[in-house]
């Protein structure tokens, strides 16, 4: 076991690693090996400290033997003393998102970036009859040509202009280099690219995803219809790292003559397993004639600060935003297209581009007989959406009606904001009163204006992230996710074999893993508990989880015998895809439970998940919960 003194040294080393820039250009090349050596040592020290210091030499075989929250937190801060430096996050959570503590709700299914805070909305309740589920704006669909929209834009409201400027400032994206459109969700953004990309001259589509993604699958379907040749990276079992030799063979061109080969879709890291992928793949793709699409939806809220956008300059970038963490998951996505790449797109009339509109304006149009057919159509849709709001399922977990409807991680049709789980419909339109509008849009006297605009949108969620900074957010997430991974691995069934309760997929304890986790729970006989049941039981305990499907897994000869036991066949396959070897192969994978830590996640959130999972050490736990569901006239899930 490492000494407390060594743990302190590791923390100092960790801090210096985190503060170092991602890319350093220096004339002193001899300094680079030393820098790399120091960085590698920091990562090794962090992993070793975490492994040896969290519940050392202890295995928990009974959920009642777990230490208390207070005791666990005390031990946690001894291992990670610098966690105390992130107390500002807890203050923001208590003051701006107090609904989380009032409802005792743990949100572990949010992926994306939050725009507003809960208190920002609820300040309007005293002067308004509106329910708290109604946030600050609505979206209105429009049919149009992506290429034309990017080249010439369109009539833009003050709200849209202000929101566009705020988002581009937040993501450090220059309007001189990129054009942007708002889309209904991540799926819509991928679909727009697929329907406009020039597959006649650049035929290939190469994706790098270790999990089933409806956004990517939708892109594949549309791309195949237009003649694209589809390829996918594979991930080596058991660590689920990119199978580098195979991907390099697909990326690198043997031809000396350079021409655009196709579209390389790169997610930076997995939103399911937390695996981070080397940026060198983007560089390699660009050097070999690929257009590059960066999926930034799984990045942390400040990760774009260290992404190196000016260095890589991808042709396309997609990011997504939701409204309020833990309360309203609806929102929109943003599709950024490099201006030099717009001319290569083909003209195509598509759906998915949206306008941001105050719902009050839509309601005024509905009452005005002079409204156009399109406008009245939108109002008709608005009415239907409002009717459905009370029964909508939420990506964030429990909303106002505390629905227990399953939120599957990857179900993200037009009704979902974020590919990753079931969410309240993106096109769910909400009303705002003039007081709310006044709270959101104000004179631009506190921030420099862009393009002469005189209004700005007050996005308190973005402002809070800016105030915290990259280092604080990253360090906090690193401490929490690694403690959770280490603690889950300490849970063992009380039989002679000591069979692990939890199997974690992808990276385990690791300095630079992402704040997402894919895992499964196994009973004392070694049989997997269905992820949907785990998710439902967590929901009953006021913990919002999701579940997904890992695929494109490659097994070496060493693990050939395990392959048959590990892989599941996805029921129904991929909708809309023709049967062939590639699609049949993608139907094999592993269904998993998923948890994602947002920047507001606390130690109590991770402890509550750990304590919940530990209940499965009780052999009767699943049967008792199934009986409860039956007694409450809820649908029974069979394992």
């Amino acid at each position: 076991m490492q000494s407390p003194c060594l743990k302190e040294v590791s923390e100092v080393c960790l801090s210096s690693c985190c503060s170092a820039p991602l890319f350093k250009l220096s004339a002193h090349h001899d300094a680079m090996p030393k820098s790399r050596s120091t960085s590698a040592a920091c990562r090794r020290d962090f992993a070793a400290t975490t492994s040896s210091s969290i519940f050392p030499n202890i295995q928990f075989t009974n959920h009642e033997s777990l230490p208390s929250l207070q005791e666990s937190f005390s031990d946690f801060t001894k291992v990670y003393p610098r966690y105390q430096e992130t107390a500002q996050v807890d203050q923001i959570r208590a003051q701006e998102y107090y609904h989380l503590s009032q409802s005792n709700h743990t949100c572990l299914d949010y992926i994306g970036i939050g725009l507003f805070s809960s208190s920002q909305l609820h300040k309007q309740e005293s002067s308004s009859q509106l329910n708290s589920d109604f946030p600050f704006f609505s979206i209105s669909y429009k049919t149009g040509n992506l290429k034309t929209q990017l080249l010439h834009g369109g009539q833009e409201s003050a709200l849209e202009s202000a929101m566009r400027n705020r988002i581009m400032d937040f993501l450090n994206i220059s309007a001189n280099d990129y054009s942007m459109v708002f889309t209904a969700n991540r799926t819509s953004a991928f679909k727009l690219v697929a329907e406009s990309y020039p597959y006649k001259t650049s035929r290939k589509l190469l994706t790098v995803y270790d999990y089933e993604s409806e956004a990517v699958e939708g892109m594949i379907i549309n791309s195949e219809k237009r003649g694209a040749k589809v390829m996918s990276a594979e991930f080596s079992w058991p660590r689920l790292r990119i199978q580098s030799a195979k991907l390099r063979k697909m990326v690198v061109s043997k031809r000396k003559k350079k021409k655009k080969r196709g579209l390389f879709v790169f997610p930076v890291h997995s939103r399911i397993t937390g695996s981070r992928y080397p940026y060198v793949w983007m560089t390699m793709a660009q050097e070999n004639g690929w257009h590059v699409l960066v999926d930034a939806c799984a990045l942390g809220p400040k990760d774009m600060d260290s992404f190196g956008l000016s260095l890589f300059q991808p042709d396309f970038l997609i990011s997504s935003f939701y409204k309020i963490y833990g309360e309203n998951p609806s929102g929109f996505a943003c599709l950024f297209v490099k201006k030099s790449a717009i001319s290569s797109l083909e003209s195509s009339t598509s759906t998915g581009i949206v306008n941001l509109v105050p719902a009050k304006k839509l309601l005024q149009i509905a009452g005005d007989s002079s409204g156009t057919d399109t406008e009245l159509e939108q109002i008709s849709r608005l009415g239907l959406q409002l009717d459905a709001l009370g029964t909508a399922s939420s990506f964030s977990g429990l909303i106002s009606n505390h629905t227990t409807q399953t939120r599957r991680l990857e179900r993200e049709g037009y009704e979902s904001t974020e590919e990753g789980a079931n969410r309240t419909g993106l096109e769910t339109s909400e009303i705002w009163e003039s007081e709310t509008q006044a709270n959101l849009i104000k004179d631009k006297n506190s921030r420099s204006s862009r393009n002469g605009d005189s209004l700005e949108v007050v996005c308190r969620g973005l402002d809070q992230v800016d105030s915290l900074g990259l280092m604080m957010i990253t360090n906090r997430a690193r401490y929490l996710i690694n403690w959770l991974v280490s603690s889950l691995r300490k849970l063992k069934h009380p039989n002679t074999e000591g069979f692990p309760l939890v199997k974690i997929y992808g990276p385990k304890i690791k300095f630079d893993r992402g704040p997402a986790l894919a895992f499964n729970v196994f009973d004392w006989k070694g049989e997997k508990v269905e992820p949907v049941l785990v998710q439902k039981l967590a929901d009953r305990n006021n913990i919002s989880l999701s579940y997904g499907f890992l695929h494109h897994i490659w097994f070496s000869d060493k693990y050939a015998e395990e392959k048959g036991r590990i892989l599941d066949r996805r029921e129904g396959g991929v909708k809309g895809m023709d049967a062939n070897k590639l699609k049949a192969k993608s139907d094999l994978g592993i269904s998993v439970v998923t948890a994602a830590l947002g920047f507001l996640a606390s130690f109590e959130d991770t402890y509550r998940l750990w304590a919940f999972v530990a209940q499965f050490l009780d052999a009767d736990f699943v049967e008792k919960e199934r009986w409860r569901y039956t007694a409450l006239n809820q649908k029974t899930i069979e394992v």
Side-chain angles (χ1 to χ4, degrees), residues 295-309:
D295 179 1
C297 295
L299 289 177
K302 288 298 289 179
D303 284 357
M304 284 296 289
D305 285 6
S306 63
F307 174 69
L309 184 67

Side-chain angles (χ1 to χ4, degrees), residues 360-416:
K360 180 179 179 182
K361 178 179 178 181
L362 289 179
L363 295 176
Q364 288 173 342
I365 295 173
D368 183 356
S369 60
S370 64
T372 64
D373 290 343
T374 302
E375 290 169 335
L376 294 175
E377 211 173 275
Q378 293 167 350
I379 301 307
S380 176
R381 189 184 300 120
L382 169 62
L384 292 174
Q385 291 157 359
L386 293 179
D387 289 341
L389 183 61
T391 57
S393 61
S394 169
F395 176 83
S396 67
L398 310 180
I399 54 178
S400 61
N401 60 352
H402 288 251
T403 177
T404 55
Q405 186 173 348
T406 300
R407 294 173 297 280
R408 186 179 177 193
L409 180 68
E410 290 303 316
R411 206 166 115 200
E412 55 159 2
Y414 284 102
E415 73 275 13
S416 56

Side-chain angles (χ1 to χ4, degrees), residues 64-233:
E64 295 179 348
S65 66
L66 265 58
S68 68
L69 171 62
Q70 292 74 19
E71 184 181 352
S72 298
F73 182 68
S74 177
D75 292 340
F76 170 77
T77 53
K78 290 176 183 176
V79 179
Y80 305 121
R82 298 182 72 92
Y83 179 82
Q84 303 281 18
E85 297 175 5
T86 71
Q88 186 181 349
V89 179
D90 298 303
Q91 294 171 4
I92 290 175
R93 174 172 169 142
Q95 295 169 5
E96 300 281 339
Y97 302 87
Y98 43 80
H99 63 285
L100 297 173
S101 58
Q102 289 176 348
S103 62
N104 197 31
H105 183 199
T106 296
C107 299
L108 299 175
D109 58 348
Y110 261 85
I111 297 176
I113 302 171
L115 294 170
F116 311 115
S117 72
S118 179
S119 66
Q120 189 178 3
L121 171 63
H122 288 284
K123 281 183 178 179
Q124 307 307 316
E125 290 187 339
S126 60
S127 60
S128 172
Q129 299 299 317
L130 301 180
N131 183 279
S132 62
D133 287 331
F134 294 86
F136 304 106
F137 61 84
S138 307
I139 66 171
S140 170
Y141 282 94
K142 63 181 180 181
T143 301
N145 187 307
L146 175 61
K147 184 175 183 178
T148 301
Q149 181 74 22
L150 292 168
L151 286 172
H152 308 294
Q155 190 173 2
E156 192 173 57
S157 68
L159 168 63
E160 289 176 305
S161 177
M163 185 68 78
R164 179 191 306 274
N165 291 343
R166 181 67 184 99
I167 286 174
M168 295 187 81
D169 282 339
F170 180 79
L171 296 176
N172 296 316
I173 296 176
S174 171
N176 295 325
D177 299 325
Y178 287 86
S179 294
M180 187 200 96
V181 294
F182 293 105
T183 69
N185 47 37
R186 183 169 176 264
T187 301
S188 298
F190 275 78
K191 177 175 174 286
L192 285 165
V193 175
E195 292 177 345
S196 302
Y197 189 77
Y199 287 115
K200 290 181 181 178
T201 55
S202 306
R203 288 203 56 200
K204 296 180 179 180
L205 173 64
L206 174 55
T207 63
V208 187
Y209 288 83
D210 63 0
Y211 63 94
E212 174 191 314
S213 161
E214 285 199 20
V216 177
E217 288 165 1
M219 167 177 263
I220 290 173
I221 292 170
N222 283 283
S223 299
E224 284 185 325
K225 289 178 180 177
R226 301 184 61 242
K229 178 184 177 182
V230 177
M231 301 179 293
S232 175

Side-chain angles (χ1 to χ4, degrees), residues 10-16 18 46 50 54 76-77 79-86 471-487 509-511 513 515 597 602-603 606:
S10 296
E11 291 293 335
V12 174
C13 182
L14 172 64
S15 177
S16 65
C18 292
F46 176 85
T50 298
I54 295 176
F76 170 77
T77 53
V79 179
Y80 305 121
R82 298 182 72 92
Y83 179 82
Q84 303 281 18
E85 297 175 5
T86 71
M471 186 172 176
M472 183 184 297
I473 292 173
T474 303
N475 283 349
R476 183 181 175 96
R478 177 177 292 122
Y479 304 146
L480 292 174
I481 194 67
N482 280 284
W483 180 89
L484 178 60
V485 169
S486 181
S487 299
I509 299 170
K510 193 173 182 181
F511 176 88
R513 63 161 296 135
L597 305 184
S602 66
F603 178 79
T606 58

Side-chain angles (χ1 to χ4, degrees), residues 159-373:
L159 168 63
E160 289 176 305
S161 177
M163 185 68 78
R164 179 191 306 274
N165 291 343
R166 181 67 184 99
I167 286 174
M168 295 187 81
D169 282 339
F170 180 79
L171 296 176
N172 296 316
I173 296 176
S174 171
N176 295 325
D177 299 325
Y178 287 86
S179 294
M180 187 200 96
V181 294
F182 293 105
T183 69
N185 47 37
R186 183 169 176 264
T187 301
S188 298
F190 275 78
K191 177 175 174 286
L192 285 165
V193 175
E195 292 177 345
S196 302
Y197 189 77
Y199 287 115
K200 290 181 181 178
T201 55
S202 306
R203 288 203 56 200
K204 296 180 179 180
L205 173 64
L206 174 55
T207 63
V208 187
Y209 288 83
D210 63 0
Y211 63 94
E212 174 191 314
S213 161
E214 285 199 20
V216 177
E217 288 165 1
M219 167 177 263
I220 290 173
I221 292 170
N222 283 283
S223 299
E224 284 185 325
K225 289 178 180 177
R226 301 184 61 242
K229 178 184 177 182
V230 177
M231 301 179 293
S232 175
E234 293 186 346
F235 302 85
S236 300
W237 180 264
R239 296 187 178 183
L240 298 185
R241 293 176 175 174
I242 291 176
Q243 225 292 320
S244 299
K246 289 189 175 184
L247 182 56
R248 186 178 293 108
K249 186 176 181 180
M250 289 186 281
V251 170
V252 175
S253 174
K254 296 180 181 178
R255 299 180 181 179
K256 294 183 179 180
K257 185 178 179 180
K258 288 187 177 181
K259 71 172 188 176
K260 288 299 178 185
R261 303 188 66 208
L263 183 61
F264 179 71
V265 183
F266 187 71
V268 183
H269 72 251
S270 171
R271 64 192 303 153
I272 298 289
T273 62
S275 298
R276 294 187 184 273
Y277 306 133
Y279 290 0
V280 67
W281 291 112
M282 288 185 286
T283 303
M284 187 185 299
Q286 290 172 328
E287 291 175 348
N288 285 272
W290 293 82
H291 286 109
V292 174
L293 186 158
V294 169
D295 179 1
C297 295
L299 289 177
K302 288 298 289 179
D303 284 357
M304 284 296 289
D305 285 6
S306 63
F307 174 69
L309 184 67
S310 61
L311 180 65
F312 293 108
Q313 293 190 330
D315 302 280
F316 308 92
L317 186 142
I318 296 172
S319 186
S320 56
F321 297 82
Y322 57 82
K323 290 176 182 172
I324 303 173
Y325 178 81
E327 185 165 6
N328 194 309
S330 62
F332 53 79
C334 296
L335 169 61
F336 299 91
V337 182
K338 191 177 178 183
K339 289 188 174 181
S340 60
I342 296 175
S343 60
S344 66
L345 298 178
E346 296 180 358
S347 295
S348 173
T349 301
S350 305
T351 59
I353 300 176
V354 298
N355 291 119
L356 306 185
V357 212
K360 180 179 179 182
K361 178 179 178 181
L362 289 179
L363 295 176
Q364 288 173 342
I365 295 173
D368 183 356
S369 60
S370 64
T372 64
D373 290 343

Side-chain angles (χ1 to χ4, degrees), residues 540 623-634:
R540 182 174 178 82
E623 291 302 322
K624 284 190 282 189
E625 289 299 329
R626 180 183 288 114
W627 178 85
R628 288 182 184 179
Y629 267 98
T630 304
L632 292 171
N633 295 318
Q634 300 191 43

Side-chain angles (χ1 to χ4, degrees), residues 434-447:
S434 58
E435 295 90 350
T436 307
Q437 187 171 3
N439 185 50
L440 282 174
I441 301 180
K442 66 179 183 181
D443 290 340
K444 256 187 182 284
N445 35 20
S446 61
R447 182 174 303 155

